[in-house]
Every structure is written in C-alpha cells, then in structure tokens.
Amino acid sequence: MQSSTLLALSAEGTLPKVDYAIFADTGWEPASVYRHLDRLEQEVAKPAGIPILRVSSGNIRNDALDPNHRFASMPLHILTQDGKPGMTRRQCTGEYKVKPIKKKIRELLGYPYPARVPKDVFVEQWIGISTDEFHRAKDADVKYMRNRHPLIVDLGWSRGDCIRYLATLGLADTPKSSCLGCPFHGNAQWRHIRDTSPEEWRDVVAFDAAIRKGNARANATGNQLLGQAFLHRSRVPLDEAPIDHVTAAERAADPGGPADADELEHGMADGCSPWACRAEADTPTRDGFGLAC
C-alpha cells in the first residue's frame, strides 16, 4: 500500500521522480499481487518513465521442499516434543527480500559484489513506511544505501491517507505483499484465500502438510524438526485451523504473551516489507529445531 503510494506520487510529480522502483519477488506471492504489480507498471510507472525492476533469490516455496537447496527458514509456528509452543527463526526476509535488493542496488551503482563501494557512492532509497509505523523507520545497515521515508518526513501521511489517495487513482484494491503461505497471516487473510482462490488454498494446505517435520533439506541431512511445524498460529493443520474465529487456545499459545485479537484476525497491517517486517522486531524465536541449514 505505502510503496504503491510512493511510486504514484513520484510518477505524478508530487514527489521527485525516482530512477527505479524495485520489487523483490519471493516467487510465492498471491496472484492478486502480481496482477497489481503489472497494472502499476503499465498505468503508473511506464508513462512516467520509471522502470520497475523485479529481483529474486529464488522461489521460497520450491526451495523449502527441495532437499538439495539451502533454505532460509520461515517463521513457522511449532510445537516441541513436550507440547510447548514456539517459532522457528525468520531468515526469509533477509534472503528473499533484502539480499536481492542490495544485489541490484550494487549493480546499479556499478559495484557488484564483491567489489568495494567507495564511501562517496550511495543510493537514496525511499521506503514506504507511514506515520502510524514511524517507529519502524531505520537507517540502512550499509553505507552505500541511505534510507529516506517521504511519507513520514515530507508528507506526514498515515496508512489511511495512502488508502484514500490510491482510491482516487482507482487503486483502492491494492493488496498486501507477502508470501501466499506466510505464517504471519491473520484469519481474515486465510479465509480470503480459502473463499476466493481454491487453487491457492490447495497450494498452501499442501505446503503446510509438507513442512510438518521441517524443510526438505533439514530432513535430508538428518536434522528433522524435534516437534511439529505449522503455518497457522493455532498449531493445527491449516485445513483444520479455526480461521473463522480467534480461539482462546490461540491467545494462550502465543509465545509472546496475550495475543492481540486484531492482529490474529487481520495479520500484519502492511504485509512483509523488506525493511520493516514486524517479525524482525516482534517475533520471539527458538533456535535448534532443524529448520535453518
């Protein structure tokens, strides 16, 4: 939502024209996200002369099920052998979002890895974080990237302002960008997949069953999960999960304390941003469950 807003504001001249827009594709986004990206490219970016660069580190779903592929773990909900709840390490954002973006930026600057980027060479990178998420606005962790947050600093816009603006452009249906089977989905997101896209629902149900004992690489190397892994935070198979309501058991099982009912229902407000994923700061993790190779 916020990134689409930044692109549109730049394209129309309210904000300066950017050189490029970058979309990091995990290979497992909902079809609605790819349709929206195509529309943005044709109706907003191309007329303004802004190239949209699609970058990728691979297909996160295929990689998880490939015993020959090193896999950066997803934050799966787990039950240990003694029945205690937890979550596996979250490495997916760094591997499938941040890494390919940094790689492309280095190429655009003319210093692909492992070349050293001179200290006076950098890119100004705009990040779509609005005022209601201002505490997630951070500086870059490398000197060749300098983060800027125009929605906060230049405009003082909230998520609601972005929604209203996109509605004026006929883009009110802008979807959240996140993996189809993201464990941070709320019940409403799971229901939407089930009720509107039977093929995608079958896909995530099959994936949920396939990762019950961990990813394929971990199993192949003898590091089978000591417990069970699930996509839904209730820690039951997805096609049996209570996605039509939030249960008391879900709240009690939340490893971070009493779960917020709104987030259980609606998931992360802004999807999975490579620079502001809620999981990065908010998710309690457990290591040593054989999911990270």
Side-chain angles (χ1 to χ4, degrees):
M1 186 71 69
Q2 287 91 335
S3 296
S4 295
T5 297
L6 282 182
L7 177 61
L9 288 170
S10 175
E12 73 175 17
T14 299
L15 292 173
K17 181 180 174 182
V18 295
D19 298 297
Y20 302 95
I22 300 180
F23 174 76
D25 184 6
T26 66
W28 200 27
E29 296 271 353
S32 60
V33 169
Y34 294 116
R35 289 194 297 268
H36 174 72
L37 184 61
D38 290 341
R39 186 181 175 193
L40 277 180
E41 187 169 32
Q42 295 302 318
E43 299 180 15
V44 178
K46 277 190 175 181
I50 300 173
I52 293 182
L53 308 178
R54 307 186 190 206
V55 298
S56 177
S57 288
N59 184 300
I60 190 171
R61 186 193 194 282
N62 294 346
D63 293 348
L65 303 181
D66 182 355
N68 297 313
H69 195 284
R70 176 194 172 276
F71 181 62
S73 68
M74 299 168 64
L76 300 171
H77 303 282
I78 62 171
L79 283 177
T80 62
Q81 288 180 310
D82 57 3
K84 294 181 179 179
M87 293 193 79
T88 55
R89 286 187 293 171
R90 183 193 61 90
Q91 299 175 318
C92 49
T93 300
E95 181 70 19
Y96 292 92
K97 293 282 189 179
V98 176
K99 181 179 177 180
I101 290 175
K102 286 183 174 179
K103 180 181 178 182
K104 175 56 65 175
I105 286 175
R106 276 177 154 272
E107 292 173 358
L108 293 173
L109 291 175
Y111 297 92
Y113 183 83
R116 182 178 178 274
V117 181
K119 63 179 181 180
D120 58 341
V121 176
F122 64 92
V123 63
E124 179 178 279
Q125 177 178 235
W126 293 6
I127 299 176
I129 298 177
S130 49
T131 55
D132 39 316
E133 294 281 351
F134 74 92
H135 55 288
R136 301 189 184 280
K138 302 174 183 177
D139 292 331
D141 61 352
V142 291
K143 292 182 179 180
Y144 62 83
M145 291 162 48
R146 298 185 184 179
N147 291 350
R148 180 180 169 191
H149 306 88
L151 293 175
I152 298 174
V153 177
D154 299 85
L155 301 173
W157 278 22
S158 67
R159 178 179 173 80
D161 292 321
C162 295
I163 293 172
R164 285 187 288 273
Y165 168 71
L166 291 174
T168 68
L169 304 179
L171 296 170
D173 59 347
T174 296
K176 296 178 181 179
S177 175
S178 63
C179 287
L180 192 61
C182 179
F184 287 101
H185 281 343
N187 285 341
Q189 292 162 288
W190 290 123
R191 288 197 306 272
H192 179 75
I193 297 172
R194 180 195 65 187
D195 298 342
T196 65
S197 183
E199 183 177 349
E200 290 184 331
W201 177 247
R202 288 192 293 271
D203 183 28
V204 292
V205 167
F207 181 81
D208 174 71
I211 50 82
R212 194 72 71 235
K213 285 296 181 181
N215 70 71
R217 174 65 178 270
N219 287 319
T221 56
N223 296 309
Q224 189 178 55
L225 182 69
L226 301 179
Q228 293 183 304
F230 305 87
L231 290 182
H232 192 264
R233 67 193 310 155
S234 64
R235 296 171 175 83
V236 299
L238 186 57
D239 56 353
E240 301 173 17
I243 64 175
D244 291 303
H245 61 283
V246 176
T247 68
E250 280 183 82
R251 296 188 180 92
D254 189 285
D260 179 83
D262 185 68
E263 189 161 305
L264 286 172
E265 174 64 12
H266 298 292
M268 295 184 296
D270 303 319
C272 186
S273 163
W275 310 112
C277 179
R278 287 171 181 258
E280 184 172 0
D282 298 347
T283 305
T285 60
R286 291 170 179 258
D287 292 335
F289 290 97
L291 286 184
C293 299

